[in-house]
Amino acid sequence: MRVLVIGSGAREHALLLALAQDPGVTALACAPGNAGTAAVAEQRGVDARSPKAVTALARDWGADLVVVGPEIPLVAGVADAVRAAGFPVFGPGADAARIEGSKAFAKDVMAAAGVATAASVIVDNPARLDAALAEFTPPYVVKDDGLAAGKGVVVSPDLEVARAHAMHLLDDGHPVLLEAFLDGPEASLFCLVDGRTVVPLLPAQDFKRVGDDDTGPNTGGMGAYAPLPWAGDDLVDELVARVVQPVADEMAERGVPFSGLLYAGLALTSAGPAVIEFNCRFGDPETQVVLALLRTPLAGLLNAVATGTLAEQPPLEWSDGAAVTVVVAAEGYPGTPRLGDVITGAEGEGVLHAGTRRREDGAVVSAGGRVLSVVGTGADLAEAREEAYRRLGGVRLAGSHHRTDIGLKAQQGEVTIPAR
């Protein structure tokens, strides 16, 4: 099987590494890729947001399966165009991708499916903002209704901070979603979905705030670990039954069946699980830890989703133990990152590339805000953390920063689900 992966981040690097382990894969290509993906796959240039360009590349390269990684191409209809050209595609069409592209659409689907989520109000006019904010109590949750790479969210006890962020979004022409705050630890659950067939992967937890102890602004994600040592054995079954299956069924009922990876971001509250957000693709950085533990050949799974045969697949197999990933970010991130700095140690074991490129002189340099994602595995969370940070110690990037506490509270037994 010749597999073409669309994207350029650490998620795509993780996907390629997993695909390369599948004996059914005969060739791999990544477009546009980065300095790290070049070591495992043929690199091809493409405008990943262009349905026409990606379709032409799939045809030119002779792909047997196209895997669309990022949300922007999916929302833009890239999967629709490639699928219409006769290629099996892992990734939802544009209509189904609205589950991430429009928070208002996602809320409507959840309401119809009876899935718990935070109470919310959409504001599209500054004149209505103050009255809408008055309906909520601190901490205030303010989100961009569209795609914002994880950085369109502000959670603050300060009304003025919340109001300023909302006004900034409205001034840019973006509708604002105001939400009630959800208590309890957060979890990410990836599910392979083929219409009404739902197959869950391991649950993970990611870290959105830029600083240790969850301080500072939100980012696209500064690290993650899997599985969740504090979660009961029945948690995944409960989340599928109460959240993912009803949403998949509702989308099928609406004539927009989901095909691909449906990502539920959840708060495990005292009243039960509640959805924070849905994504229409593998999440980053959780993909790096989930796939590090997957033993079932990945290409066969993704192809089964793309061809509508997921229900025929045997149960997934997983490695014992745990995985941790720590993101190395460029100076200035999550604001404007400094680019072009030389990275050393970027080719070490467990080092996945996100915002990197290779200069003509052969040096690997930073080319984005989240630059690298360093993965460690071990018999338990403590060993996986130790291995991830040991590997990170071999990486050098001037001005870079990373969190030192990824998975630490879980390792110390300090994460619990509130009693119901």
Side-chain angles (χ1 to χ4, degrees), residues 33-416:
N34 59 45
T37 60
V40 67
E42 179 184 346
Q43 302 293 103
R44 300 296 291 263
V46 76
D47 178 357
R49 301 165 297 180
S50 168
K52 183 177 180 181
V54 175
T55 302
L57 174 59
R59 186 177 292 114
D60 176 66
W61 190 72
D64 297 312
L65 172 66
V66 179
V67 178
V68 184
E71 64 273 24
I72 292 176
L74 291 168
V75 171
V78 164
D80 294 301
V82 178
R83 197 173 282 120
F87 297 93
V89 181
F90 181 83
D95 282 347
R98 285 184 295 161
I99 198 75
E100 178 172 1
S102 168
K103 294 178 179 63
F105 174 77
K107 290 286 188 182
D108 186 63
V109 169
M110 285 185 277
V115 171
T117 186
S120 64
V121 172
I122 294 284
V123 179
D124 59 7
N125 187 323
R128 302 191 184 102
L129 177 60
D130 288 333
L133 280 168
E135 297 179 27
F136 296 88
T137 57
Y140 299 95
V141 181
V142 183
K143 299 181 178 181
D144 189 328
D145 183 54
L147 298 177
K151 294 181 287 185
V153 181
V154 160
V155 180
S156 175
D158 189 322
L159 176 60
E160 289 308 312
V161 170
R163 188 180 189 281
H165 181 61
M167 286 300 298
H168 172 73
L169 294 174
L170 290 166
D171 287 345
D172 285 347
H174 296 215
V176 169
L177 180 78
L178 304 179
E179 280 189 334
F181 179 76
L182 297 172
D183 68 341
E186 295 184 9
S188 301
L189 183 64
F190 294 176
C191 291
L192 299 171
V193 177
D194 164 16
R196 295 181 185 270
T197 301
V198 175
V199 175
L201 307 186
L202 287 181
Q205 186 177 63
D206 77 331
F207 295 76
K208 290 295 188 186
R209 299 281 191 166
V210 72
D212 283 1
D213 202 27
D214 294 327
T215 57
N218 270 13
T219 70
M222 294 299 293
Y225 68 90
L228 308 179
W230 43 268
D233 293 339
D234 60 349
L235 176 64
V236 170
D237 289 343
E238 179 186 14
L239 296 178
V240 170
R242 296 181 61 173
V243 175
V244 184
Q245 189 69 60
V247 165
D249 289 343
E250 173 62 23
M251 294 184 75
E253 288 291 329
R254 294 181 178 216
V256 286
F258 193 95
S259 174
L261 194 290
L262 188 57
Y263 165 149
L266 302 140
L268 305 179
T269 77
S270 55
V275 175
I276 299 170
E277 64 177 356
F278 275 107
N279 290 338
C280 64
R281 38 72 194 185
F282 278 100
D284 185 339
E286 297 99 323
T287 299
Q288 290 88 297
V289 291
V290 171
L291 293 187
L293 299 171
L294 179 66
R295 293 176 57 190
T296 300
L298 181 62
L301 281 177
L302 303 188
N303 191 61
V305 175
T307 57
T309 59
L310 181 61
E312 302 169 16
Q313 299 303 301
L316 303 187
E317 295 183 6
W318 298 94
S319 298
D320 293 331
V324 170
T325 188
V326 183
V327 170
V328 178
E331 181 177 338
Y333 181 80
T336 302
R338 195 172 83 186
L339 308 179
D341 289 313
V342 173
I343 310 163
T344 58
E347 295 171 350
E349 186 176 2
V351 179
L352 306 186
H353 290 228
T356 68
R357 65 178 179 85
R358 191 175 294 277
R359 291 192 317 210
E360 291 185 3
D361 64 1
V364 175
V365 300
S366 58
R370 291 190 295 172
V371 182
L372 301 169
S373 189
V374 183
V375 180
T377 57
D380 56 22
L381 187 53
E383 285 191 13
R385 271 180 43 81
E386 181 179 0
E387 182 67 0
Y389 282 104
R390 184 189 67 78
R391 290 174 171 178
L392 188 148
V395 174
R396 295 289 183 271
L397 171 61
S400 66
H401 59 96
H402 64 272
R403 285 185 60 158
T404 66
D405 64 344
I406 302 301
L408 180 59
K409 289 184 178 179
Q411 176 190 323
Q412 296 173 337
E414 297 175 7
V415 182
T416 57

